Amino acid sequence: MSHPDVALGGHHAPAMEPSPFAIPAIKLAMWLFIISDIMTFAACLVAYGFLRNATPNWPRPYHSSTIISVLVMTVILVTSSLIMLMAVRAARAGDRANAFRWTMVTLALGILFAILHVREWFGMIGQGVTLSTNPWGTGLFGGAYFSVTGMELLHVIAALIALLIIGLGYKSGRYGAAHVENCNLFWQFINIVWMFVVPLVYLMDIAS
Amino acid sequence: MHEVSAAPAAHHGPPTTFIRKHVFSTDHKVIGIQYYHLALVAVVVGMVLSWLMRIHLGWTNAAIPGLQALSANGAPGGVMTPEYYLQLMTMHATIMVFFVLTTAPFAAFGNYFLPIQTGAEDMPFPHFNMMSFWVTLTGFLVLVSAFFVSDGPPLAGWTSYAPLSAIGKAAGPGQGAGQVIWATALGIFCVGQLLGALNFISTVLDMRCKGMTLSRLPVSAWAWFITSCMGLTAFAVLMPACILLILDHVAGTSFFIPSGLVINDQLIPHSGGSTLLWQHLFWFFGHPEVYIAIVPGMGIVTHVLVTNMRRPMLSMKAILYSMWALAFLSYMVYGHHMFVSGMNPFSSLVFSFPTLMITIPSTIVVLIWIGSLYGSQLRINTASLFALGFISMFVSGGVSGFFLAQPSIDIMLHATYFVVGHFHMVMGVAAMFGIFSGTYFWFPKMYGRMMDETLGKIHFWLTFVGTYCIFMPFHYLGWAGNVRRYAAFTDDYLKPLIPLHQFISVAALFTGAVQLIFIYNFINSRFRGAPAPPNPWEGTSLEWIMPSPPPWNNFGGKDPVVYHDAEQYGVKTASGADYIMQNSPEQALPGGDGD
Amino acid sequence: MSTAGEQGGLGKYIVVYLCMLAVTGIEVAIAGSNPGGAHLLPIMLILAFAGALLGVLFFMGLAAEKRSLILFVAVFTLFVMATINYGWTDSFRVLMGVPYAK
Ligand code: HEM
Ligand SMILES: [Cu+2]
């Protein structure tokens, strides 16, 4: 175990009681943040579900081109999640060079995902979807679509910045493996939110 | 200091510059005091607003000199318009609920004493902690700025029910910019409290000194921990709700605005949203929030009482489990605020049942306090008096909850002064008494000087009598059909109630003036009080093993070791003291009355 | 470190990875062949939860943590998620005017 790892892992400095969950404080904090963030997303999704369920003329605009693009985005995101795990493995083994490399690959895939996401947005805007209007049905659609996916995009961007900072910092020795692990937790969480966004926002609304 | 630090940033060096020491400090004690001072400023603002409201309710046509300076349109010639009354009411409630009742008992005392009570040198993330305060302060400043925009602050109340809160200017003065500012301020506030909650929870779980097992934590530390767990998920819901509300204003969305809404003969160009959706999101946050305001007070009061009773509670475990039960149930009862909202009537049943259940843990806590007090030789000082006052207020205000919990009764009482009486006693005054109790108890530790006990007792008795005079009659007003959020009572059936309103107004002005005694005592003692010994109340928990005020690194760089829980009172010891401190290896001799 | 227990091969991760993609594939197949179908929502939700569970347990490594953490996260999250979902049941009422809306 390298030195910073002890610092982050441990409240085992002899003068402290062990953590009941046996995880360092920063990891606990990340889990807690994720729990709270789940509720933020849950509130958005409840709002979306409420309005969608209560609105008979909810548009179902997606054709196979959108679905294929969403599938590609999913594959990219899930792959990036797998690759981030390689970074964690390397970091745990103290292999700074490889951990950095894998983090950067994750970052690149994440950027690709974000670009496709924005492209998707522009596609919608090009079809005349705004926050309050669209060509197909209730005006609520745009507001719900952009706020739920916007929330996701906001998280992706935050995570990309974190990946960059932590990746560089880990390479230079400023950060420890625990930071990389934390970054992984956040990145995986975004992946998980996407698993709800895809069926609830896109697949429910395939045009018939 | 250890060679290997125990947590990421907890072990920092002593701050050297003034700015690091007092302004952008990462020291949890400084942050706690900053939060406390914020709450003091906020409570003064909130109280002045309540005076203005009370004057208007008692003497509707009276001019309040100088009020026109605050808002020329809202109070032409010093007489407030009905709208301006509602605007002041909204600001009063928002400031009080968020920036006083949440910040003082939870963020202020919690920041100061939670790490100390767990035996830590600081919280695990001091920088987040610092941000938490500055973000909260920003939220406060943003909120107050609503007074200075063209139409003034919003008038939709602290609950900001849609659609009036969502459609903008058409709903009245303040509903444009003011309402957006309101929602922005609360969104910011949520971020600050989330940062705080992260720190609190990880402090309790990961930053306990040797021997401080979870079961040995003082009850106040548990209360802050439980509150943080509620805050973590409640504020996380209010924040997106506020964002959606802002979008309705600035981006033309219609999350909370239904179709075909005509207001002031004006068709609102929105469609399809739902007003119930706002209420669901708001109260999902709102009910846990009221427990966020009261549970820290319960912890403080239990801590103060057990110290002054000189014997353990009948069952500290039962108090702890009850607080957990309150937190748990608080997520399942929120619909009791919506019995008349047009919500599915089956839901009323679903929400009424847990609401009635939540009275059980509340009652258990009260019974244990009273049972433990019974026959104890309680040391009467200002802190313990306010703790008793807390119990009294909590019971008086809680009993009305039993009525409101039943939909059939609530349909009559909803939106009347009965509800206002309920929550002012059980949340407003009780939580304030918890804050006062904590202040008189911990002031010596925080500022290194004793407060004046005589002034303190005068403050207590006058406040106690005064608040009962204000808020007890509210219940009667409610039964008499006095609707809440009315700016004046000119309807025939309300006219006979005006003398009572005038009595209440006098009591409110009087009780408010009494608080000057507290402020004088606070400031005077801060500079001229007798120097405080380390352990003035002969307490057992770790805050009392350090000098008053504590050094920047709490325990002087030496982590304490703990051998007991914090309830070792009424014991027999070799030295003759009737208590054993948590960090003393001494064992009690047989025959104490704590056995 | 505490999480060192799961140093096993990459094989497990790849299986999970494939399962996650399969879940998405199944979702697309069901939704695509039956657009706007009546029971789409529960099916989608169940599948999404299955995918998310895989992610939380293995990619986030919760399965390898101490039982106490697993319990804490699971109970806390599922409870608050369940309670917030009560809110949108009212949307049926807005839509269909039942029960008792008229
Ligand atoms: C004994 C347990 C309690 C029960 C059964 C109870 C029940 C209720 C009910 C049913 C209402 C809704 C009344 C209405 O709007 O028609 C209500 C309102 C309220 N309660 Fe309680 N309550 C209890 C304890 C508390 C506590 C401990 C607090 C705060 C610390 C609190 C704070 C409030 C507030 C702030 C409101 C009104 C919010 C508003 O409409 O502005 N209650 N309570
Ligand atoms: Cu409530």
Side-chain angles (χ1 to χ4, degrees), chain B residues 158 283 290 294 336-337 401 404 410 414 422-423 426-427 484:
Chain B
W158 83 283
W283 287 117
V290 306
I294 203 69
H336 64 217
H337 297 274
L404 297 173
D410 183 69
H414 178 75
H422 162 68
F423 72 75
V426 76
M427 176 162 87
R484 96 191 249 214

Side-chain angles (χ1 to χ4, degrees), chain C:
Chain C
M1 274 187 63
S2 49
T3 41
E6 38 141 355
Q7 282 294 1
L10 265 182
K12 183 181 72 186
Y13 289 146
I14 291 178
V15 172
V16 173
Y17 170 77
L18 293 175
C19 286
M20 278 174 150
L21 290 181
V23 165
T24 312
I26 297 171
E27 284 171 357
V28 172
I30 293 177
S33 65
N34 185 17
H39 298 296
L40 214 48
L41 179 65
I43 297 173
M44 289 294 122
L45 273 179
I46 289 169
L47 285 170
F49 263 103
L53 197 64
L54 286 174
V56 173
L57 286 180
F58 300 109
F59 278 16
M60 289 173 87
L62 188 60
E65 299 287 356
K66 249 184 110 163
R67 255 180 78 97
S68 53
L69 181 66
I70 303 180
L71 269 176
F72 175 79
V73 173
V75 171
F76 196 167
T77 319
L78 292 178
F79 172 65
V80 285
M81 264 165 60
T83 48
I84 198 177
N85 269 295
Y86 196 84
W88 65 270
T89 55
D90 255 342
S91 59
F92 287 107
R93 198 166 145 72
V94 179
L95 178 66
M96 299 182 276
V98 289
Y100 303 141
K102 290 176 190 134

Side-chain angles (χ1 to χ4, degrees), chain A residues 1-13 16-33 88 92 176-183 185, chain B residues 4-10 123-125 128 198-199 201-208, chain C residues 1-6 60-61 64-66 68-69 72-73:
Chain A
M1 240 190 268
S2 65
H3 219 81
D5 294 346
V6 179
L8 292 158
H11 312 283
H12 320 185
M16 301 303 255
E17 280 289 313
S19 145
F21 300 149
I23 54 174
I26 64 162
K27 195 164 170 186
L28 175 64
M30 182 52 87
W31 274 108
L32 294 172
F33 172 74
V88 172
R92 277 200 195 131
H179 288 103
V180 179
E181 277 193 49
N182 252 19
C183 227
L185 281 181
Chain B
V4 178
S5 60
M123 300 219 176
F125 312 105
F128 280 176
L198 286 184
N199 252 319
I201 298 178
S202 16
T203 303
V204 168
L205 293 180
D206 276 16
M207 301 283 287
R208 284 164 291 120
Chain C
M1 274 187 63
S2 49
T3 41
E6 38 141 355
M60 289 173 87
E65 299 287 356
K66 249 184 110 163
S68 53
L69 181 66
F72 175 79
V73 173

Side-chain angles (χ1 to χ4, degrees), chain A residues 77-144:
Chain A
L77 194 61
V78 179
T79 310
S80 78
S81 297
L82 182 67
I83 287 179
M84 190 60 206
L85 288 168
M86 318 263 273
V88 172
R89 278 165 66 97
R92 277 200 195 131
D95 180 352
R96 286 186 189 266
N98 267 323
F100 173 71
R101 193 167 313 131
W102 291 125
T103 312
M104 289 305 119
V105 177
T106 311
L107 179 71
L109 287 172
I111 292 173
L112 189 59
F113 176 84
I115 291 173
L116 289 178
H117 199 300
V118 173
R119 181 178 154 267
E120 201 48 52
W121 268 23
F122 277 118
M124 293 295 268
I125 295 169
Q127 292 178 61
V129 182
T130 71
L131 278 166
S132 51
T133 55
N134 63 71
W136 312 299
T138 174
L140 293 171
F141 173 82

Side-chain angles (χ1 to χ4, degrees), chain B residues 336-354:
Chain B
H336 64 217
H337 297 274
M338 300 167 60
F339 286 151
V340 299
S341 67
M343 168 178 79
N344 184 339
F346 292 138
S347 303
S348 293
L349 187 67
V350 173
F351 284 119
S352 161
F353 184 62

